[in-house]
Amino acid sequence: MRSGRLILSLYVAVIASCAWAMETVDTSQGVIAPSFHSLQVVFAGSEMGEPVIDLHNPADRVVISFDELSDDRRYMRYSLVHCDALWQPEGLVDSEFLDSFNEGTVEDYDYSQATIVHYVHYTITLPNEQVRITQPGNYLVKVYDESDPEETLLQARFYVSDNTVGIKADVTTRTDIDTNLAHQQLGLTVDTRYLNPEDPFNDLKVVVTQNGRPDTETVIVSPQRLGSREVIYEHLRPLIFPAGNEYRRFETVSTNYPGMGVERIERDAPVYNMMLYADDPRASKDYLFDRTQHGRYLVRSSDVSDSSTEADYVMTNFTLAMPPLAGYDIFIDGDLTDRRFSPSSRMVYNEASGAYEQSLLLKQGSYNYQYLAVPSGSLKGETGPVEGNKYQTVNEYTVKVYHRPKGTRFDRLVGYGVVSSE
């Protein structure tokens, strides 16, 4: 009887352990503490460059910048987490991916100058003397107060690739489900001559993302066919994406006059209010080309010399004039909301005005955004209900190739590429 209870206890423990292992960890990029704003992660030397560095190029760096609305500096540290192709921690020992201790100090900071909203601007540049990276893959940076290491203030993503494979990609509007209508389809060829994977059908993963939106991410685990030195991904349903529409734009580069997309400026205490022109749904409208940055933004003030510390924070007011959309929540999408479906990015319907409304405290700059309709209970946004799906839309697709041979402990990023539908 006792042995039976022991077996039952072990069974329950194993089940609990498996359930814990299947739980996903929130590794999405974004600020967590409400006092932090304007998180950006870019390739060093490029204001909007993809945050990916070549493992074998010692000059490559990524730059993580952010502000805290405060009068005083906060003493912070950061650590790195090596993640798999799906951005889940792999549980590696620090020495397996670093030639250093896994902790750095946030030492680069500056106070805001002559701004209504006071803030401290911080910068982390990686890799550096404190944190030296030895392996390719997905990296999550967790920033925390040095007095409370268990409480993450913000987290940022970047990539390290060893560029062992070449990636060739093309985008067509003649898809397997429609032609020149509402979708775009990718075809991918991965040149593996320098990788020579033993089992391309099981050892490789291809991850594709549209316009930097995590909710569009699709994972291909098996190719369509093999060539002599190539792995080919064609005519695969997961590589067909809704075409969406060009991002909307506005500029809050000056507090002296309304910029593009700004109807008026209200100088109410304690901050300036930028009242954007009311937006309308575009689903039933004809396509109109507009060259955008696919949801990115650039901090910029035309009235100062150094926007990183002299640009002010302004309350930016969004209005989407349309009836309530049953069964959906409407969210503002773009880097300005960290691409998160959160309470701060969710539009609230105002019965009195007959429109969706939301306000965001944003640093002065040039911004891209769009409205996504998210079905109740879903984690995936749809462009169709508000923005529409226009096959002519210029979209940007990021392609990442990971290699994990049998018996190894982590996903190696062996190739990274970006292709435009233009």
Side-chain angles (χ1 to χ4, degrees):
M1 184 68 178
R2 183 177 179 182
S3 63
R5 284 198 298 268
L6 178 60
I7 292 173
L8 178 60
S9 298
L10 289 173
Y11 176 77
V12 171
V14 169
I15 293 297
S17 175
C18 291
W20 177 85
M22 290 187 293
E23 290 180 1
T24 58
V25 178
D26 180 10
T27 61
S28 56
Q29 179 166 296
V31 298
I32 299 171
S35 58
F36 287 83
H37 292 264
S38 303
L39 172 63
Q40 291 187 295
V41 189
V42 299
F43 183 81
S46 175
E47 292 177 321
M48 295 187 181
E50 293 290 305
V52 55
I53 60 176
D54 186 335
L55 179 66
H56 305 298
N57 188 342
D60 281 5
R61 297 288 186 275
V62 292
V63 177
I64 303 168
S65 61
F66 53 91
D67 298 335
E68 183 178 20
L69 306 190
S70 175
D71 291 322
D72 300 313
R73 174 203 177 182
R74 185 193 291 255
Y75 291 88
M76 294 177 287
R77 299 180 185 273
Y78 61 89
S79 60
L80 272 57
V81 180
H82 196 287
C83 297
D84 64 18
L86 301 180
W87 281 103
Q88 287 303 292
E90 293 179 300
L92 300 182
V93 178
D94 293 343
S95 59
E96 292 184 84
F97 60 94
L98 294 174
D99 181 25
S100 63
F101 291 110
N102 191 4
E103 186 175 63
T105 306
V106 183
E107 299 175 332
D108 188 350
Y109 67 95
D110 289 293
Y111 294 99
S112 60
Q113 303 292 323
T115 56
I116 294 175
V117 177
H118 295 180
Y119 60 89
V120 185
H121 180 70
Y122 297 92
T123 302
I124 301 171
T125 303
L126 289 168
N128 54 47
E129 286 301 314
Q130 291 181 320
V131 177
R132 298 184 296 275
I133 298 168
T134 61
Q135 297 296 337
N138 293 354
Y139 282 86
L140 182 74
V141 181
K142 300 172 75 71
V143 179
Y144 49 88
D145 192 297
E146 66 176 17
S147 66
D148 190 2
E150 300 303 316
E151 189 71 24
T152 302
L153 301 172
L154 61 90
Q155 48 195 31
R157 292 176 171 185
F158 72 95
Y159 304 89
V160 178
S161 175
D162 67 11
N163 295 324
T164 310
V165 305
I167 301 172
K168 180 182 178 182
D170 61 79
V171 183
T172 180
T173 58
R174 300 174 64 88
T175 77
D176 292 341
I177 60 175
D178 60 19
T179 297
N180 293 343
L181 188 60
H183 294 85
Q184 296 175 353
Q185 182 165 344
L186 272 72
L188 307 172
T189 300
V190 179
D191 185 341
T192 59
R193 73 182 73 183
Y194 300 114
L195 183 65
N196 294 319
E198 292 185 8
D199 185 1
F201 284 90
N202 292 293
D203 295 349
L204 295 180
K205 288 190 186 77
V206 174
V207 180
V208 181
T209 310
Q210 183 192 62
N211 296 330
R213 284 175 48 195
D215 63 311
T216 67
E217 198 162 77
T218 184
V219 182
I220 312 297
V221 295
S222 294
Q224 194 254 356
R225 58 190 173 92
L226 302 179
S228 59
R229 295 181 299 186
E230 300 169 330
V231 183
I232 300 163
Y233 302 83
E234 292 179 335
H235 299 289
L236 299 174
R237 182 61 183 85
L239 291 179
I240 302 176
F241 292 80
N245 207 336
E246 305 295 348
Y247 277 76
R248 303 172 190 257
R249 295 190 292 163
F250 69 87
E251 291 188 345
T252 55
V253 297
S254 176
T255 55
N256 296 317
Y257 58 86
M260 179 180 61
V262 179
E263 182 178 12
R264 67 186 187 279
I265 302 174
E266 296 181 355
R267 293 170 173 81
D268 297 332
V271 297
Y272 288 99
N273 271 269
M274 297 286 182
M275 314 303 294
L276 303 186
Y277 284 102
D279 290 315
D280 296 314
R282 299 186 291 173
S284 60
K285 295 183 178 181
D286 292 339
Y287 169 77
L288 181 64
F289 172 76
D290 186 20
R291 187 173 297 279
T292 73
Q293 291 298 325
H294 312 291
R296 299 181 181 92
Y297 69 87
L298 176 65
V299 169
R300 185 167 68 92
S301 173
S302 59
D303 305 322
V304 302
S305 58
D306 183 0
S307 295
S308 64
T309 55
E310 297 178 73
D312 217 326
Y313 275 85
V314 296
M315 189 62 72
T316 309
N317 298 275
F318 297 79
T319 303
L320 176 60
M322 65 177 292
L325 195 60
Y328 290 89
D329 287 320
I330 306 299
F331 290 87
I332 303 170
D333 169 64
D335 284 355
L336 76 172
T337 59
D338 294 324
R339 309 281 187 168
R340 288 184 170 217
F341 299 144
S342 64
S344 62
S345 63
R346 178 178 172 270
M347 301 290 284
V348 178
Y349 190 74
N350 185 335
E351 294 283 353
S353 64
Y356 287 92
E357 299 172 349
Q358 183 56 278
S359 299
L360 299 174
L361 187 64
L362 301 173
K363 204 170 185 178
Q364 286 180 271
S366 302
Y367 286 83
N368 281 190
Y369 70 105
Q370 67 177 351
Y371 297 106
L372 294 179
V374 180
S376 300
S378 174
L379 297 176
K380 187 176 179 63
E382 298 178 10
T383 49
V386 179
E387 305 293 2
N389 288 309
K390 317 294 182 180
Y391 75 91
Q392 307 98 321
T393 303
V394 180
N395 288 305
E396 188 176 83
Y397 296 92
T398 303
V399 182
K400 293 154 284 186
V401 181
Y402 299 87
H403 184 220
R404 187 169 191 162
K406 291 180 180 64
T408 58
R409 286 173 45 80
F410 63 92
D411 290 340
R412 301 175 60 88
L413 180 60
V414 293
Y416 187 105
V418 179
V419 60
S420 172
S421 61
E422 188 174 20

